[in-house]
Amino acid sequence: MTAYFIEEKDFNDFINQILQVMPVIAPVAKEPLFSFEELQNAEQLRLDYDLTILPPKKAFFPPQQVILRFNAGKFEGTVNPRKQVLLGVHLYDIKAIDQTDFLYTENYEDINYTAYRRATTLVGSNIQNIAKRAFWGSISHDVPAKGQDAFMTKLDAKGYLFEVFSDKGEELLAYGNFQAASQAQIVLANKINQDIKEQCPEKLNYSREEMASTIRQSFKNTALWDELAEDCFSCGSCNTTCPTCYCFNIEDQWNVDQTSGQRTRYWDSCMTEDFATISSGGGHSENFRARRGERMRHRIMRKMVYLNEKLGSQACVGCGRCAIACTADIADPVQIVNRIMEAAHE
Amino acid sequence: MNNDTVMTETLAETFDSLNIFLPKEAKILKVRDTTPYERHFTLKYADGSKMLFEPGQILEVSLFGYGEIPIGLASSPTRENSFDIVVRTVGRVSTAINQLQSGESLYIRGPYGNGFKLNQLRGHPILVVAGGIGLCPTRSLIQYILDRRQEFKGFTLFYGTRDPAQQLFIDDLSDWRANENIDLYETVDKADETWKGHIGVITELFKKTNISADTRVIICGPPVMFKFVIHELDKIGISHDNIFVDLERRMKCAIGKCGHCQINDKYVCLDGPVFSLSDIIHLEEAL
């Protein structure tokens, strides 16, 4: 890691210079929160954002992605990434991206993801404002963020510390008026990033191992899972807004000529009713998670238990998006985990 | 992911060769109506290459514009000039596939998953319990055993269907009835006037023969069938390590990513579709 400093007065110029060369996807204001969008100019950038509606994974794992095009029996893939910068990503989202990188690479590498991911320069930024349901201070907080090419910390009104972690991060230096950072600036940035961890409005009071083992032991407590899911609309908003969710469905569409068309994958949600349904013919079907409680259990097990060993942390990074998105307000992992932990001691 | 890759337009072609979602064209050599709902396809890759697989593995079979479905291979790799699948008319994709005639094409990805654990079956008596369409993936194993019969001990097949009209692979069944290398026991839930065999649920077939406790058992059929068959096997005292179940789930991607086929923390497409019973009996959503 090498650390640099860029003054506030030079910062917009830095962004605008990158924009001359390649797209920059970064947080901009969008009701009711913020959104990662392709910047038109540096003035739109809102590094003071608290949370974006959708997580930044969409920069290389879009909600809908054509994976092949066909025309009368001929077909071809569509992978054709462009170099781009994904900038202003908070630590919790960097951790989620790192998890998805692993999951899309293990066993079978899916280049429909990895090619776009590799073409992306990932630039993090410190959290200046905290979302109202965030709890990243107490989940996966001991897991270092990996995968960022550079990380910016706003030190004070004067400017940003810019830490570089890779060649891709290094390349960006050419676009801005950077100078070597002082030791005092590095220390200050560290303190800023440490202090903010204590300020989350929500908190989980258990260790990763305690949560994982108690939640797993609660697997067969059907009444508890049914209680947790009682008000669930099975809408899937908790999945759609989740930075660590990576499930998808695949469907074909014809073009109007009825000869050509495409095969598209799109984000899917395990909380929706038919996610695990198979048809067996003659109007018969089998839904392996027919009850809302079973689907809630699957979601929580996925986030808190099943992937821990593989990922070295929970598959939840504490962003709080699901809690905000849920109409019935039953999706918040903090409330769910606390309830499970309480129930285990009843 | 810090590989500093500079992308160019021409690289897109290279990507196609790495793209796990791109299928290969297969020609339909032969198609037969096996029942009013199921058709039996014999296929060969259009580029002449061989399908290399193990009995029990699955394919993603697609038709552009309709979509992709997971289907178990229904022939043995020992019969290497072609490969078979059976498609039941269920939804949009299978209905479209079942309109096809010989000479037309299907598009195939695979094979995927873990098949029947042949190394654990060799040298032992074998019982295959197949219900309905469960005879399709198990036919791959049945053919394999018949082709390499000396590698296995006694070989028994239980086959149950709703009624005689639902029986698949009529020609095979008539061969197997006469074949001394396989003990075939059949049953139907509901007979018609042509049926002279056993009537009743598949577990009743256990009364007709002696299955020894060292038998390796393969079960494939509708979800409801598993529990009852396992109950019978428990009575005989067959270890759950020696019972193998072939599970059906909604395997959309078959590469362990899309999430649809998960049973707890297992992906049926990666960890299965064939599991030893001891690996999954404790999973609540499995059987």
Side-chain angles (χ1 to χ4, degrees):
Chain A
M1 187 268 290
T2 326
Y4 300 86
F5 178 75
I6 183 166
E7 286 188 49
E8 180 72 48
K9 69 176 173 56
D10 293 329
F11 189 77
N12 278 7
D13 187 50
F14 165 54
I15 301 298
N16 284 325
Q17 288 300 316
I18 306 175
L19 281 172
Q20 299 290 315
V21 184
M22 59 186 146
V24 176
I25 296 143
V28 301
K30 185 175 179 184
E31 287 296 327
L33 295 166
F34 295 86
S35 174
F36 280 96
E37 301 290 340
E38 206 171 305
L39 293 183
Q40 303 304 308
N41 56 60
E43 285 70 30
Q44 286 180 290
L45 178 61
R46 290 289 301 273
L47 289 178
D48 62 337
Y49 78 104
D50 55 356
L51 191 63
T52 57
I53 302 165
L54 293 181
K57 68 181 178 193
K58 67 177 186 176
F60 31 78
F61 178 32
Q64 284 191 37
Q65 179 182 26
V66 173
I67 55 173
L68 68 81
R69 294 186 194 285
F70 58 84
N71 190 352
K74 299 260 185 290
F75 61 95
E76 57 184 12
T78 60
V79 178
N80 191 9
R82 56 175 190 179
K83 270 187 95 161
Q84 61 180 11
V85 177
L86 174 60
L87 180 135
V89 181
H90 286 163
L91 270 183
Y92 51 82
D93 277 335
I94 293 176
K95 291 178 186 178
I97 288 170
D98 188 41
Q99 293 186 1
T100 316
D101 288 349
F102 171 78
L103 294 163
Y104 270 99
T105 313
E106 66 157 357
N107 299 317
Y108 294 88
E109 179 178 337
D110 179 6
I111 58 160
N112 291 283
Y113 174 93
T114 56
Y116 295 91
R117 174 68 183 91
R118 289 198 176 100
T120 303
T121 304
L122 178 58
V123 182
S125 72
N126 70 306
I127 299 165
Q128 299 181 29
N129 287 294
I130 301 177
K132 59 185 177 185
R133 305 291 287 272
F135 57 103
W136 35 259
S138 59
I139 189 163
S140 306
H141 54 101
D142 52 341
V143 178
K146 298 197 308 291
Q148 68 274 43
D149 299 294
F151 193 87
M152 310 183 292
T153 306
K154 189 173 169 69
L155 295 180
D156 48 41
K158 290 208 188 80
Y160 297 83
L161 187 83
F162 191 87
E163 295 165 276
V164 169
F165 298 95
S166 73
D167 293 348
K168 280 197 287 187
E170 182 94 26
E171 268 178 47
L172 296 181
L173 296 173
Y175 302 105
N177 185 19
F178 289 93
Q179 48 192 285
S182 70
Q183 194 56 35
Q185 286 168 330
I186 295 172
V187 171
L188 178 58
N190 265 331
K191 183 172 172 3
I192 290 170
N193 285 308
Q194 280 304 320
D195 288 352
I196 194 96
K197 282 188 182 175
E198 306 303 320
Q199 295 169 32
C200 277
E202 292 204 55
K203 196 164 188 253
L204 282 165
N205 293 315
Y206 310 94
S207 74
R208 175 159 54 241
E209 292 72 23
E210 267 180 292
M211 287 189 267
S213 101
T214 305
I215 294 170
R216 196 182 264 287
Q217 280 159 26
S218 308
F219 193 97
K220 296 202 170 173
N221 189 346
T222 309
L224 176 63
W225 297 109
D226 285 349
E227 170 204 313
L228 289 167
E230 195 176 359
D231 294 331
C232 180
F233 292 110
S234 303
C235 71
S237 299
C238 49
N239 299 129
T240 308
T241 55
C242 179
T244 70
C245 276
Y246 62 103
C247 290
F248 57 85
N249 201 356
I250 305 175
E251 276 188 6
D252 284 16
Q253 297 93 22
W254 294 104
N255 294 329
V256 282
D257 62 12
Q258 292 285 300
T259 307
S260 63
Q262 60 271 326
R263 182 161 292 170
T264 306
R265 79 157 150 205
Y266 53 89
W267 295 353
D268 206 350
S269 313
C270 64
M271 291 295 278
T272 55
E273 201 173 339
D274 284 337
F275 185 81
T277 302
I278 56 165
S279 304
S280 42
H284 299 283
S285 65
E286 183 92 23
N287 188 345
F288 294 99
R289 281 188 292 276
R291 294 210 328 281
R292 284 171 297 173
E294 291 169 335
R295 298 195 289 274
M296 175 66 91
R297 177 177 67 192
H298 187 68
R299 168 174 171 256
I300 295 301
M301 290 285 167
R302 287 280 279 168
K303 299 300 173 198
M304 299 290 171
V305 182
Y306 293 157
L307 292 164
N308 292 12
E309 214 167 283
K310 212 182 248 193
L311 297 174
S313 73
Q314 292 106 322
C316 171
V317 292
C319 66
R321 286 185 180 94
C322 55
I324 295 171
C326 180
T327 312
D329 196 2
I330 54 156
D332 187 348
V334 176
Q335 290 176 13
I336 293 169
V337 170
N338 283 339
R339 177 72 190 98
I340 297 169
M341 300 304 280
E342 273 168 34
H345 297 108
E346 272 166 12
Chain B
M1 287 216 176
N2 287 322
N3 306 29
D4 190 12
T5 318
V6 179
M7 302 298 161
T8 65
E9 292 279 330
T10 51
L11 267 180
E13 288 163 27
T14 316
F15 286 133
D16 275 1
S17 65
L18 302 170
N19 194 334
I20 46 178
F21 283 107
L22 294 188
K24 272 172 77 171
E25 183 181 3
K27 286 281 177 204
I28 300 170
L29 300 180
K30 196 168 156 190
V31 55
R32 282 149 287 187
D33 293 321
T34 48
T35 74
Y37 311 102
E38 279 112 9
R39 298 185 85 212
H40 175 181
F41 295 89
T42 298
L43 303 164
K44 189 176 182 121
Y45 276 135
D47 66 4
S49 60
K50 287 197 159 74
M51 168 70 72
L52 302 172
F53 67 99
E54 290 170 23
Q57 285 194 295
I58 62 151
L59 301 174
E60 288 287 339
V61 179
S62 71
L63 204 51
F64 295 124
Y66 299 93
E68 214 172 32
I69 48 174
I71 293 186
L73 282 143
S75 59
S76 168
T78 48
R79 307 186 182 186
E80 54 186 18
N81 292 326
S82 58
F83 57 96
D84 289 5
I85 57 170
V86 172
V87 179
R88 172 180 282 184
T89 302
V90 171
R92 178 173 135 106
V93 185
S94 55
T95 303
I97 290 175
N98 276 349
Q99 310 290 321
L100 297 178
Q101 301 303 330
S102 58
E104 294 189 283
S105 295
L106 280 168
Y107 296 85
I108 309 268
R109 290 194 286 127
Y112 296 113
N114 293 314
F116 303 107
K117 317 224 177 328
L118 293 169
N119 282 336
Q120 295 179 50
L121 305 182
R122 288 196 181 96
H124 297 281
I126 307 294
L127 167 66
V128 172
V129 183
I133 201 166
L135 189 62
C136 300
T138 48
R139 178 177 182 256
S140 180
L141 179 67
I142 295 164
Q143 286 186 343
Y144 185 93
I145 293 174
L146 291 174
D147 289 349
R148 305 177 74 158
R149 188 66 188 83
Q150 71 289 353
E151 296 176 14
F152 304 87
K153 290 191 178 161
F155 181 27
T156 308
L157 169 62
F158 289 176
Y159 180 42
T161 53
R162 219 172 297 151
D163 54 65
Q166 305 287 322
Q167 283 204 325
L168 296 160
F169 308 117
I170 300 295
D171 296 344
D172 289 336
L173 287 171
S174 90
D175 279 354
W176 297 343
R177 281 177 201 124
N179 189 335
E180 60 185 18
N181 284 317
I182 178 171
D183 291 325
L184 170 61
Y185 296 88
E186 297 162 81
T187 185
V188 296
D189 295 344
K190 225 175 87 187
D192 59 18
E193 59 282 2
T194 66
W195 187 251
K196 296 187 183 67
H198 189 83
I199 303 166
V201 293
I202 200 161
T203 45
E204 290 173 15
L205 297 176
F206 281 96
K207 288 180 212 146
K208 300 201 143 221
T209 180
N210 279 325
I211 300 298
S212 60
D214 65 335
T215 303
R216 304 304 189 252
V217 184
I218 291 92
I219 314 172
C220 186
V224 63
M225 193 188 85
F226 286 94
K227 282 174 200 163
F228 294 103
V229 173
I230 291 163
H231 183 67
E232 294 298 322
L233 299 173
D234 283 344
K235 284 199 278 189
I236 297 169
I238 296 177
S239 156
H240 286 186
D241 290 338
N242 296 335
I243 299 172
F244 302 93
V245 293
D246 189 355
L247 299 184
E248 193 182 5
R249 286 296 186 278
R250 189 173 164 190
M251 294 173 269
K252 280 299 272 198
C253 76
I255 54 169
K257 313 283 187 210
C258 84
H260 287 89
C261 71
Q262 276 195 298
I263 301 173
N264 299 186
D265 56 346
K266 305 217 182 286
Y267 279 88
V268 174
C269 68
L270 279 185
D271 304 310
V274 179
F275 292 92
S276 81
L277 184 59
S278 49
D279 282 345
I280 57 149
I281 187 95
H282 58 286
L283 305 181
E284 198 175 89
E285 293 162 5
L287 296 176

